[in-house]
Amino acid sequence: MLYKSINEENIEILVRKFYPEVLKDTLLAPFFIEKLGEDIQSPLWEEHLVLISQFWQFVALGYDDYTGNPLAPHFHISGLTPEAFSAWLKLFHTTVDEVYIASIGEYFKEKSTNIAQNFMRKLDLY
Ligand code: HEM
């Protein structure tokens, strides 16, 4: 079943579907394993999944639980490339299509693409 609207619960479903796929992706997994380890059940990963859910709830629903700096940790990830960002976006968009109907999916695709471009510009990845 695809969700027809965005809420707190289905954002969490999206996030908890996306990162296991990230860990299966040969290009993306090493970046995450280096910082968070390979066990998605670990407390460190759980913290990340909660944080990312809060981030998207802030972006899409205006919730104020997320008070972090989304860009900052990416300055400390070595070896990031435009290709890695393309792979991240492609996988995120595939996951979005597995969770939401097309019109809602479009929203997440546009947002994520804009944020990724912003990150890449600030990380000097062009
Ligand atoms: C190739 C692309 C990307 C890679 C490899 C990557 C990797 C990571 C890693 C490893 C962390 C955890 C860092 C740590 O705890 O030390 C992180 C945090 C985070 N990422 Fe990414 N990321 C990518 C793209 C994105 C994009 C496009 C977004 C948003 C649309 C995003 C949103 C976030 C947020 C919100 C955090 C948490 C920031 C905080 O600490 O508050 N990331 N990322």
Side-chain angles (χ1 to χ4, degrees):
M1 187 205 74
L2 299 175
Y3 292 100
K4 297 191 177 82
S5 61
I6 306 171
N7 64 31
E8 193 177 329
E9 287 77 26
N10 56 43
I11 284 181
E12 207 173 317
I13 288 169
L14 171 68
V15 168
R16 288 177 187 274
K17 223 174 160 58
F18 177 56
Y19 286 95
E21 293 305 321
V22 164
L23 280 180
K24 287 186 215 151
D25 185 284
T26 47
L27 175 59
L28 295 173
F31 295 111
F32 288 87
I33 290 172
E34 188 179 334
K35 298 288 177 192
L36 304 169
E38 56 190 18
D39 178 10
I40 199 134
Q41 318 268 27
S42 72
L44 200 56
W45 259 105
E46 183 56 27
E47 209 179 288
H48 181 68
L49 298 177
V50 170
L51 193 63
I52 298 292
S53 297
Q54 287 173 341
F55 167 73
W56 281 110
Q57 286 156 359
F58 162 71
V59 170
L61 302 170
Y63 282 25
D64 60 7
D65 304 304
Y66 181 76
T67 53
N69 179 338
L71 173 66
H74 301 91
F75 280 105
H76 307 286
I77 299 173
S78 50
L80 273 179
T81 57
E83 290 71 32
F85 270 90
S86 296
W88 189 104
L89 281 172
K90 193 169 168 222
L91 193 55
F92 188 69
H93 294 182
T94 302
T95 315
V96 160
D97 284 336
E98 288 167 6
V99 176
Y100 294 104
I101 60 165
S103 57
I104 302 288
E106 274 314 306
Y107 169 81
F108 280 103
K109 290 179 194 179
E110 204 181 308
K111 273 283 173 198
S112 56
T113 303
N114 289 342
I115 296 168
Q117 270 163 4
N118 217 3
F119 279 14
M120 281 193 280
R121 189 164 41 77
K122 291 183 173 148
L123 292 164
D124 267 334
L125 286 183
Y126 282 118

mmCIF file of all heavy atoms in Angstrom, residues 64-111:
data_model
loop_
_atom_site.group_PDB
_atom_site.id
_atom_site.type_symbol
_atom_site.label_atom_id
_atom_site.label_comp_id
_atom_site.label_asym_id
_atom_site.label_seq_id
_atom_site.Cartn_x
_atom_site.Cartn_y
_atom_site.Cartn_z
ATOM 1 N N ASP A 64 9.413 20.609 15.251
ATOM 2 C CA ASP A 64 10.613 21.301 15.732
ATOM 3 C C ASP A 64 11.529 20.423 16.582
ATOM 4 O O ASP A 64 12.382 20.924 17.304
ATOM 5 C CB ASP A 64 10.235 22.590 16.479
ATOM 6 C CG ASP A 64 9.355 22.322 17.678
ATOM 7 O OD1 ASP A 64 9.137 21.146 18.007
ATOM 8 O OD2 ASP A 64 8.874 23.300 18.282
ATOM 9 N N ASP A 65 11.393 19.087 16.494
ATOM 10 C CA ASP A 65 12.274 18.206 17.277
ATOM 11 C C ASP A 65 13.704 18.241 16.759
ATOM 12 O O ASP A 65 14.644 18.052 17.509
ATOM 13 C CB ASP A 65 11.793 16.750 17.210
ATOM 14 C CG ASP A 65 10.372 16.606 17.672
ATOM 15 O OD1 ASP A 65 10.101 17.021 18.808
ATOM 16 O OD2 ASP A 65 9.534 16.103 16.902
ATOM 17 N N TYR A 66 13.854 18.448 15.452
ATOM 18 C CA TYR A 66 15.208 18.442 14.881
ATOM 19 C C TYR A 66 15.843 19.813 15.041
ATOM 20 O O TYR A 66 15.341 20.804 14.528
ATOM 21 C CB TYR A 66 15.177 18.064 13.397
ATOM 22 C CG TYR A 66 16.572 18.043 12.805
ATOM 23 C CD1 TYR A 66 17.440 16.983 13.058
ATOM 24 C CD2 TYR A 66 17.038 19.101 12.044
ATOM 25 C CE1 TYR A 66 18.732 16.968 12.551
ATOM 26 C CE2 TYR A 66 18.331 19.104 11.526
ATOM 27 C CZ TYR A 66 19.163 18.032 11.787
ATOM 28 O OH TYR A 66 20.442 18.019 11.291
ATOM 29 N N THR A 67 16.954 19.839 15.785
ATOM 30 C CA THR A 67 17.617 21.123 16.000
ATOM 31 C C THR A 67 19.076 21.032 15.573
ATOM 32 O O THR A 67 19.903 21.853 15.950
ATOM 33 C CB THR A 67 17.563 21.537 17.492
ATOM 34 O OG1 THR A 67 18.075 20.457 18.267
ATOM 35 C CG2 THR A 67 16.154 21.861 17.936
ATOM 36 N N GLY A 68 19.397 19.986 14.799
ATOM 37 C CA GLY A 68 20.784 19.772 14.388
ATOM 38 C C GLY A 68 21.183 20.647 13.221
ATOM 39 O O GLY A 68 20.437 21.520 12.785
ATOM 40 N N ASN A 69 22.372 20.397 12.745
ATOM 41 C CA ASN A 69 22.867 21.056 11.544
ATOM 42 C C ASN A 69 23.043 19.959 10.495
ATOM 43 O O ASN A 69 23.985 19.180 10.574
ATOM 44 C CB ASN A 69 24.197 21.746 11.851
ATOM 45 C CG ASN A 69 24.772 22.429 10.624
ATOM 46 O OD1 ASN A 69 24.443 22.091 9.485
ATOM 47 N ND2 ASN A 69 25.633 23.402 10.845
ATOM 48 N N PRO A 70 22.123 19.875 9.542
ATOM 49 C CA PRO A 70 22.138 18.731 8.623
ATOM 50 C C PRO A 70 23.412 18.629 7.795
ATOM 51 O O PRO A 70 23.872 17.523 7.491
ATOM 52 C CB PRO A 70 20.920 18.956 7.725
ATOM 53 C CG PRO A 70 20.415 20.312 8.011
ATOM 54 C CD PRO A 70 20.990 20.776 9.310
ATOM 55 N N LEU A 71 23.996 19.745 7.450
ATOM 56 C CA LEU A 71 25.184 19.709 6.586
ATOM 57 C C LEU A 71 26.455 19.319 7.346
ATOM 58 O O LEU A 71 27.299 18.574 6.841
ATOM 59 C CB LEU A 71 25.374 21.077 5.916
ATOM 60 C CG LEU A 71 26.653 21.272 5.101
ATOM 61 C CD1 LEU A 71 26.664 20.354 3.869
ATOM 62 C CD2 LEU A 71 26.795 22.733 4.668
ATOM 63 N N ALA A 72 26.593 19.828 8.589
ATOM 64 C CA ALA A 72 27.869 19.767 9.316
ATOM 65 C C ALA A 72 28.607 18.416 9.274
ATOM 66 O O ALA A 72 29.787 18.385 8.916
ATOM 67 C CB ALA A 72 27.666 20.229 10.750
ATOM 68 N N PRO A 73 27.944 17.290 9.623
ATOM 69 C CA PRO A 73 28.723 16.039 9.666
ATOM 70 C C PRO A 73 29.303 15.633 8.320
ATOM 71 O O PRO A 73 30.309 14.904 8.267
ATOM 72 C CB PRO A 73 27.725 14.985 10.164
ATOM 73 C CG PRO A 73 26.391 15.601 10.129
ATOM 74 C CD PRO A 73 26.556 17.082 10.053
ATOM 75 N N HIS A 74 28.702 16.110 7.243
ATOM 76 C CA HIS A 74 29.187 15.711 5.916
ATOM 77 C C HIS A 74 30.562 16.298 5.594
ATOM 78 O O HIS A 74 31.256 15.786 4.729
ATOM 79 C CB HIS A 74 28.145 16.068 4.843
ATOM 80 C CG HIS A 74 26.819 15.401 5.091
ATOM 81 N ND1 HIS A 74 25.825 15.994 5.840
ATOM 82 C CD2 HIS A 74 26.351 14.178 4.755
ATOM 83 C CE1 HIS A 74 24.801 15.172 5.933
ATOM 84 N NE2 HIS A 74 25.082 14.064 5.280
ATOM 85 N N PHE A 75 30.951 17.361 6.315
ATOM 86 C CA PHE A 75 32.301 17.911 6.140
ATOM 87 C C PHE A 75 33.360 16.935 6.658
ATOM 88 O O PHE A 75 34.524 17.031 6.306
ATOM 89 C CB PHE A 75 32.446 19.250 6.876
ATOM 90 C CG PHE A 75 31.865 20.406 6.129
ATOM 91 C CD1 PHE A 75 30.657 20.973 6.525
ATOM 92 C CD2 PHE A 75 32.514 20.935 5.014
ATOM 93 C CE1 PHE A 75 30.109 22.050 5.831
ATOM 94 C CE2 PHE A 75 31.975 22.004 4.308
ATOM 95 C CZ PHE A 75 30.773 22.566 4.719
ATOM 96 N N HIS A 76 32.933 16.024 7.530
ATOM 97 C CA HIS A 76 33.886 15.083 8.140
ATOM 98 C C HIS A 76 33.817 13.701 7.515
ATOM 99 O O HIS A 76 34.324 12.738 8.073
ATOM 100 C CB HIS A 76 33.627 14.990 9.652
ATOM 101 C CG HIS A 76 33.621 16.334 10.311
ATOM 102 N ND1 HIS A 76 34.777 17.037 10.529
ATOM 103 C CD2 HIS A 76 32.609 17.128 10.739
ATOM 104 C CE1 HIS A 76 34.471 18.208 11.090
ATOM 105 N NE2 HIS A 76 33.161 18.279 11.224
ATOM 106 N N ILE A 77 33.154 13.603 6.371
ATOM 107 C CA ILE A 77 33.096 12.317 5.662
ATOM 108 C C ILE A 77 34.067 12.415 4.497
ATOM 109 O O ILE A 77 33.880 13.238 3.596
ATOM 110 C CB ILE A 77 31.665 12.029 5.158
ATOM 111 C CG1 ILE A 77 30.699 11.944 6.345
ATOM 112 C CG2 ILE A 77 31.638 10.746 4.333
ATOM 113 C CD1 ILE A 77 29.231 11.828 5.952
ATOM 114 N N SER A 78 35.126 11.611 4.539
ATOM 115 C CA SER A 78 36.120 11.755 3.470
ATOM 116 C C SER A 78 35.733 10.912 2.261
ATOM 117 O O SER A 78 35.098 9.866 2.383
ATOM 118 C CB SER A 78 37.513 11.383 3.968
ATOM 119 O OG SER A 78 37.459 10.145 4.602
ATOM 120 N N GLY A 79 36.092 11.430 1.093
ATOM 121 C CA GLY A 79 35.873 10.696 -0.149
ATOM 122 C C GLY A 79 34.516 10.901 -0.783
ATOM 123 O O GLY A 79 34.181 10.221 -1.753
ATOM 124 N N LEU A 80 33.709 11.818 -0.255
ATOM 125 C CA LEU A 80 32.405 12.089 -0.873
ATOM 126 C C LEU A 80 32.602 12.631 -2.287
ATOM 127 O O LEU A 80 33.492 13.449 -2.525
ATOM 128 C CB LEU A 80 31.629 13.113 -0.043
ATOM 129 C CG LEU A 80 30.776 12.594 1.113
ATOM 130 C CD1 LEU A 80 30.111 13.750 1.836
ATOM 131 C CD2 LEU A 80 29.745 11.582 0.630
ATOM 132 N N THR A 81 31.762 12.180 -3.207
ATOM 133 C CA THR A 81 31.859 12.602 -4.605
ATOM 134 C C THR A 81 30.463 12.918 -5.133
ATOM 135 O O THR A 81 29.466 12.483 -4.546
ATOM 136 C CB THR A 81 32.416 11.454 -5.477
ATOM 137 O OG1 THR A 81 31.557 10.307 -5.308
ATOM 138 C CG2 THR A 81 33.838 11.077 -5.113
ATOM 139 N N PRO A 82 30.394 13.636 -6.260
ATOM 140 C CA PRO A 82 29.078 13.846 -6.894
ATOM 141 C C PRO A 82 28.416 12.510 -7.232
ATOM 142 O O PRO A 82 27.196 12.384 -7.127
ATOM 143 C CB PRO A 82 29.421 14.621 -8.171
ATOM 144 C CG PRO A 82 30.714 15.300 -7.878
ATOM 145 C CD PRO A 82 31.460 14.375 -6.963
ATOM 146 N N GLU A 83 29.222 11.495 -7.607
ATOM 147 C CA GLU A 83 28.661 10.176 -7.944
ATOM 148 C C GLU A 83 27.990 9.553 -6.711
ATOM 149 O O GLU A 83 26.952 8.908 -6.830
ATOM 150 C CB GLU A 83 29.761 9.226 -8.450
ATOM 151 C CG GLU A 83 30.323 9.577 -9.821
ATOM 152 C CD GLU A 83 31.181 10.843 -9.832
ATOM 153 O OE1 GLU A 83 31.847 11.133 -8.809
ATOM 154 O OE2 GLU A 83 31.154 11.551 -10.861
ATOM 155 N N ALA A 84 28.601 9.749 -5.551
ATOM 156 C CA ALA A 84 28.004 9.208 -4.323
ATOM 157 C C ALA A 84 26.664 9.898 -4.055
ATOM 158 O O ALA A 84 25.678 9.252 -3.686
ATOM 159 C CB ALA A 84 28.952 9.389 -3.142
ATOM 160 N N PHE A 85 26.622 11.208 -4.263
ATOM 161 C CA PHE A 85 25.359 11.930 -4.079
ATOM 162 C C PHE A 85 24.305 11.467 -5.076
ATOM 163 O O PHE A 85 23.133 11.320 -4.730
ATOM 164 C CB PHE A 85 25.579 13.451 -4.155
ATOM 165 C CG PHE A 85 25.884 14.042 -2.807
ATOM 166 C CD1 PHE A 85 27.187 14.149 -2.358
ATOM 167 C CD2 PHE A 85 24.866 14.470 -1.968
ATOM 168 C CE1 PHE A 85 27.480 14.671 -1.100
ATOM 169 C CE2 PHE A 85 25.138 14.987 -0.710
ATOM 170 C CZ PHE A 85 26.453 15.090 -0.271
ATOM 171 N N SER A 86 24.729 11.215 -6.336
ATOM 172 C CA SER A 86 23.770 10.707 -7.334
ATOM 173 C C SER A 86 23.222 9.356 -6.899
ATOM 174 O O SER A 86 22.018 9.104 -7.018
ATOM 175 C CB SER A 86 24.437 10.513 -8.693
ATOM 176 O OG SER A 86 24.864 11.726 -9.177
ATOM 177 N N ALA A 87 24.102 8.504 -6.387
ATOM 178 C CA ALA A 87 23.665 7.170 -5.950
ATOM 179 C C ALA A 87 22.711 7.292 -4.761
ATOM 180 O O ALA A 87 21.699 6.582 -4.676
ATOM 181 C CB ALA A 87 24.881 6.323 -5.587
ATOM 182 N N TRP A 88 23.028 8.209 -3.826
ATOM 183 C CA TRP A 88 22.173 8.438 -2.665
ATOM 184 C C TRP A 88 20.781 8.862 -3.136
ATOM 185 O O TRP A 88 19.761 8.329 -2.688
ATOM 186 C CB TRP A 88 22.807 9.521 -1.781
ATOM 187 C CG TRP A 88 22.167 9.736 -0.439
ATOM 188 C CD1 TRP A 88 22.635 9.312 0.765
ATOM 189 C CD2 TRP A 88 20.944 10.456 -0.153
ATOM 190 N NE1 TRP A 88 21.781 9.713 1.779
ATOM 191 C CE2 TRP A 88 20.751 10.406 1.236
ATOM 192 C CE3 TRP A 88 20.011 11.118 -0.946
ATOM 193 C CZ2 TRP A 88 19.640 11.006 1.861
ATOM 194 C CZ3 TRP A 88 18.902 11.714 -0.333
ATOM 195 C CH2 TRP A 88 18.727 11.653 1.057
ATOM 196 N N LEU A 89 20.754 9.822 -4.059
ATOM 197 C CA LEU A 89 19.465 10.348 -4.537
ATOM 198 C C LEU A 89 18.677 9.265 -5.270
ATOM 199 O O LEU A 89 17.472 9.127 -5.065
ATOM 200 C CB LEU A 89 19.687 11.541 -5.475
ATOM 201 C CG LEU A 89 20.002 12.869 -4.790
ATOM 202 C CD1 LEU A 89 20.396 13.927 -5.831
ATOM 203 C CD2 LEU A 89 18.814 13.380 -3.968
ATOM 204 N N LYS A 90 19.366 8.491 -6.109
ATOM 205 C CA LYS A 90 18.681 7.461 -6.885
ATOM 206 C C LYS A 90 18.014 6.447 -5.938
ATOM 207 O O LYS A 90 16.841 6.102 -6.101
ATOM 208 C CB LYS A 90 19.703 6.756 -7.786
ATOM 209 C CG LYS A 90 19.079 5.916 -8.837
ATOM 210 C CD LYS A 90 20.113 5.457 -9.864
ATOM 211 C CE LYS A 90 19.487 4.370 -10.724
ATOM 212 N NZ LYS A 90 20.392 3.265 -10.978
ATOM 213 N N LEU A 91 18.774 6.049 -4.929
ATOM 214 C CA LEU A 91 18.257 5.060 -3.973
ATOM 215 C C LEU A 91 17.129 5.665 -3.127
ATOM 216 O O LEU A 91 16.116 5.000 -2.857
ATOM 217 C CB LEU A 91 19.411 4.578 -3.088
ATOM 218 C CG LEU A 91 19.157 3.346 -2.235
ATOM 219 C CD1 LEU A 91 18.696 2.176 -3.078
ATOM 220 C CD2 LEU A 91 20.450 2.963 -1.500
ATOM 221 N N PHE A 92 17.298 6.910 -2.727
ATOM 222 C CA PHE A 92 16.260 7.559 -1.929
ATOM 223 C C PHE A 92 14.969 7.662 -2.748
ATOM 224 O O PHE A 92 13.883 7.370 -2.247
ATOM 225 C CB PHE A 92 16.735 8.947 -1.465
ATOM 226 C CG PHE A 92 15.800 9.600 -0.476
ATOM 227 C CD1 PHE A 92 15.659 9.095 0.815
ATOM 228 C CD2 PHE A 92 15.059 10.720 -0.825
ATOM 229 C CE1 PHE A 92 14.789 9.689 1.731
ATOM 230 C CE2 PHE A 92 14.191 11.325 0.083
ATOM 231 C CZ PHE A 92 14.054 10.809 1.365
ATOM 232 N N HIS A 93 15.101 8.031 -4.005
ATOM 233 C CA HIS A 93 13.915 8.196 -4.855
ATOM 234 C C HIS A 93 13.221 6.851 -5.093
ATOM 235 O O HIS A 93 11.987 6.782 -5.090
ATOM 236 C CB HIS A 93 14.300 8.876 -6.169
ATOM 237 C CG HIS A 93 14.768 10.290 -5.973
ATOM 238 N ND1 HIS A 93 15.126 11.110 -7.003
ATOM 239 C CD2 HIS A 93 14.945 11.023 -4.835
ATOM 240 C CE1 HIS A 93 15.496 12.290 -6.522
ATOM 241 N NE2 HIS A 93 15.407 12.254 -5.204
ATOM 242 N N THR A 94 14.008 5.798 -5.268
ATOM 243 C CA THR A 94 13.424 4.455 -5.422
ATOM 244 C C THR A 94 12.628 4.096 -4.164
ATOM 245 O O THR A 94 11.513 3.570 -4.241
ATOM 246 C CB THR A 94 14.541 3.402 -5.634
ATOM 247 O OG1 THR A 94 15.282 3.788 -6.782
ATOM 248 C CG2 THR A 94 13.989 2.011 -5.843
ATOM 249 N N THR A 95 13.208 4.397 -3.002
ATOM 250 C CA THR A 95 12.538 4.075 -1.738
ATOM 251 C C THR A 95 11.269 4.902 -1.580
ATOM 252 O O THR A 95 10.235 4.388 -1.151
ATOM 253 C CB THR A 95 13.491 4.322 -0.538
ATOM 254 O OG1 THR A 95 14.774 3.774 -0.849
ATOM 255 C CG2 THR A 95 12.957 3.677 0.721
ATOM 256 N N VAL A 96 11.355 6.178 -1.940
ATOM 257 C CA VAL A 96 10.183 7.065 -1.879
ATOM 258 C C VAL A 96 9.030 6.463 -2.696
ATOM 259 O O VAL A 96 7.880 6.440 -2.250
ATOM 260 C CB VAL A 96 10.563 8.480 -2.400
ATOM 261 C CG1 VAL A 96 9.344 9.272 -2.808
ATOM 262 C CG2 VAL A 96 11.360 9.240 -1.342
ATOM 263 N N ASP A 97 9.368 5.930 -3.887
ATOM 264 C CA ASP A 97 8.333 5.343 -4.756
ATOM 265 C C ASP A 97 7.724 4.072 -4.162
ATOM 266 O O ASP A 97 6.641 3.669 -4.574
ATOM 267 C CB ASP A 97 8.911 5.020 -6.138
ATOM 268 C CG ASP A 97 9.077 6.276 -6.986
ATOM 269 O OD1 ASP A 97 8.361 7.264 -6.730
ATOM 270 O OD2 ASP A 97 9.925 6.269 -7.895
ATOM 271 N N GLU A 98 8.440 3.448 -3.238
ATOM 272 C CA GLU A 98 7.899 2.240 -2.597
ATOM 273 C C GLU A 98 7.004 2.593 -1.406
ATOM 274 O O GLU A 98 6.333 1.723 -0.858
ATOM 275 C CB GLU A 98 9.043 1.348 -2.111
ATOM 276 C CG GLU A 98 9.784 0.674 -3.263
ATOM 277 C CD GLU A 98 11.098 0.051 -2.828
ATOM 278 O OE1 GLU A 98 11.394 0.030 -1.598
ATOM 279 O OE2 GLU A 98 11.837 -0.396 -3.717
ATOM 280 N N VAL A 99 7.025 3.862 -1.002
ATOM 281 C CA VAL A 99 6.281 4.253 0.192
ATOM 282 C C VAL A 99 5.094 5.175 -0.137
ATOM 283 O O VAL A 99 4.028 5.051 0.471
ATOM 284 C CB VAL A 99 7.225 4.925 1.228
ATOM 285 C CG1 VAL A 99 6.458 5.434 2.442
ATOM 286 C CG2 VAL A 99 8.316 3.951 1.671
ATOM 287 N N TYR A 100 5.292 6.074 -1.105
ATOM 288 C CA TYR A 100 4.259 7.099 -1.372
ATOM 289 C C TYR A 100 3.720 7.038 -2.806
ATOM 290 O O TYR A 100 4.446 6.622 -3.724
ATOM 291 C CB TYR A 100 4.848 8.498 -1.152
ATOM 292 C CG TYR A 100 5.218 8.790 0.284
ATOM 293 C CD1 TYR A 100 6.557 8.780 0.684
ATOM 294 C CD2 TYR A 100 4.235 9.076 1.228
ATOM 295 C CE1 TYR A 100 6.912 9.043 1.999
ATOM 296 C CE2 TYR A 100 4.586 9.338 2.539
ATOM 297 C CZ TYR A 100 5.915 9.321 2.926
ATOM 298 O OH TYR A 100 6.250 9.582 4.224
ATOM 299 N N ILE A 101 2.495 7.517 -2.976
ATOM 300 C CA ILE A 101 1.946 7.698 -4.327
ATOM 301 C C ILE A 101 2.783 8.767 -5.044
ATOM 302 O O ILE A 101 3.479 9.574 -4.393
ATOM 303 C CB ILE A 101 0.456 8.115 -4.314
ATOM 304 C CG1 ILE A 101 0.249 9.446 -3.558
ATOM 305 C CG2 ILE A 101 -0.422 7.019 -3.719
ATOM 306 C CD1 ILE A 101 -1.097 10.094 -3.820
ATOM 307 N N ALA A 102 2.670 8.770 -6.372
ATOM 308 C CA ALA A 102 3.574 9.598 -7.185
ATOM 309 C C ALA A 102 3.580 11.079 -6.801
ATOM 310 O O ALA A 102 4.653 11.684 -6.708
ATOM 311 C CB ALA A 102 3.224 9.439 -8.659
ATOM 312 N N SER A 103 2.399 11.650 -6.548
ATOM 313 C CA SER A 103 2.371 13.095 -6.298
ATOM 314 C C SER A 103 3.092 13.460 -4.999
ATOM 315 O O SER A 103 3.761 14.483 -4.910
ATOM 316 C CB SER A 103 0.931 13.620 -6.280
ATOM 317 O OG SER A 103 0.185 12.924 -5.322
ATOM 318 N N ILE A 104 2.992 12.611 -3.995
ATOM 319 C CA ILE A 104 3.704 12.858 -2.731
ATOM 320 C C ILE A 104 5.194 12.551 -2.934
ATOM 321 O O ILE A 104 6.066 13.279 -2.464
ATOM 322 C CB ILE A 104 3.152 11.961 -1.603
ATOM 323 C CG1 ILE A 104 1.662 12.191 -1.401
ATOM 324 C CG2 ILE A 104 3.925 12.169 -0.309
ATOM 325 C CD1 ILE A 104 1.293 13.485 -0.766
ATOM 326 N N GLY A 105 5.443 11.488 -3.680
ATOM 327 C CA GLY A 105 6.822 11.117 -3.981
ATOM 328 C C GLY A 105 7.564 12.271 -4.625
ATOM 329 O O GLY A 105 8.726 12.535 -4.294
ATOM 330 N N GLU A 106 6.881 12.969 -5.526
ATOM 331 C CA GLU A 106 7.491 14.114 -6.205
ATOM 332 C C GLU A 106 8.021 15.127 -5.196
ATOM 333 O O GLU A 106 9.071 15.729 -5.390
ATOM 334 C CB GLU A 106 6.469 14.814 -7.119
ATOM 335 C CG GLU A 106 6.374 14.218 -8.497
ATOM 336 C CD GLU A 106 7.734 13.957 -9.122
ATOM 337 O OE1 GLU A 106 8.548 14.896 -9.194
ATOM 338 O OE2 GLU A 106 8.006 12.805 -9.491
ATOM 339 N N TYR A 107 7.246 15.337 -4.154
ATOM 340 C CA TYR A 107 7.639 16.312 -3.127
ATOM 341 C C TYR A 107 8.989 15.918 -2.509
ATOM 342 O O TYR A 107 9.908 16.746 -2.417
ATOM 343 C CB TYR A 107 6.554 16.399 -2.037
ATOM 344 C CG TYR A 107 7.021 17.167 -0.830
ATOM 345 C CD1 TYR A 107 7.013 18.562 -0.823
ATOM 346 C CD2 TYR A 107 7.550 16.508 0.281
ATOM 347 C CE1 TYR A 107 7.503 19.272 0.263
ATOM 348 C CE2 TYR A 107 8.040 17.215 1.372
ATOM 349 C CZ TYR A 107 8.014 18.581 1.358
ATOM 350 O OH TYR A 107 8.506 19.286 2.428
ATOM 351 N N PHE A 108 9.102 14.644 -2.105
ATOM 352 C CA PHE A 108 10.347 14.189 -1.474
ATOM 353 C C PHE A 108 11.513 14.205 -2.466
ATOM 354 O O PHE A 108 12.650 14.491 -2.107
ATOM 355 C CB PHE A 108 10.178 12.781 -0.895
ATOM 356 C CG PHE A 108 9.491 12.779 0.438
ATOM 357 C CD1 PHE A 108 8.159 12.417 0.546
ATOM 358 C CD2 PHE A 108 10.179 13.137 1.588
ATOM 359 C CE1 PHE A 108 7.518 12.415 1.783
ATOM 360 C CE2 PHE A 108 9.552 13.138 2.830
ATOM 361 C CZ PHE A 108 8.215 12.779 2.924
ATOM 362 N N LYS A 109 11.200 13.882 -3.712
ATOM 363 C CA LYS A 109 12.276 13.853 -4.716
ATOM 364 C C LYS A 109 12.823 15.252 -4.950
ATOM 365 O O LYS A 109 14.037 15.459 -5.024
ATOM 366 C CB LYS A 109 11.751 13.250 -6.017
ATOM 367 C CG LYS A 109 11.463 11.770 -5.898
ATOM 368 C CD LYS A 109 10.912 11.230 -7.204
ATOM 369 C CE LYS A 109 10.311 9.864 -6.991
ATOM 370 N NZ LYS A 109 9.741 9.301 -8.227
ATOM 371 N N GLU A 110 11.902 16.195 -5.047
ATOM 372 C CA GLU A 110 12.333 17.577 -5.290
ATOM 373 C C GLU A 110 13.124 18.115 -4.102
ATOM 374 O O GLU A 110 14.200 18.691 -4.258
ATOM 375 C CB GLU A 110 11.091 18.431 -5.551
ATOM 376 C CG GLU A 110 11.393 19.675 -6.347
ATOM 377 C CD GLU A 110 10.134 20.509 -6.562
ATOM 378 O OE1 GLU A 110 9.121 19.950 -7.027
ATOM 379 O OE2 GLU A 110 10.184 21.705 -6.226
ATOM 380 N N LYS A 111 12.578 17.894 -2.901
ATOM 381 C CA LYS A 111 13.255 18.373 -1.678
ATOM 382 C C LYS A 111 14.652 17.773 -1.555
ATOM 383 O O LYS A 111 15.634 18.480 -1.310
ATOM 384 C CB LYS A 111 12.451 17.980 -0.432
ATOM 385 C CG LYS A 111 11.382 18.958 -0.044
ATOM 386 C CD LYS A 111 11.983 20.167 0.652
ATOM 387 C CE LYS A 111 10.915 21.224 0.889
ATOM 388 N NZ LYS A 111 11.460 22.545 1.154
#
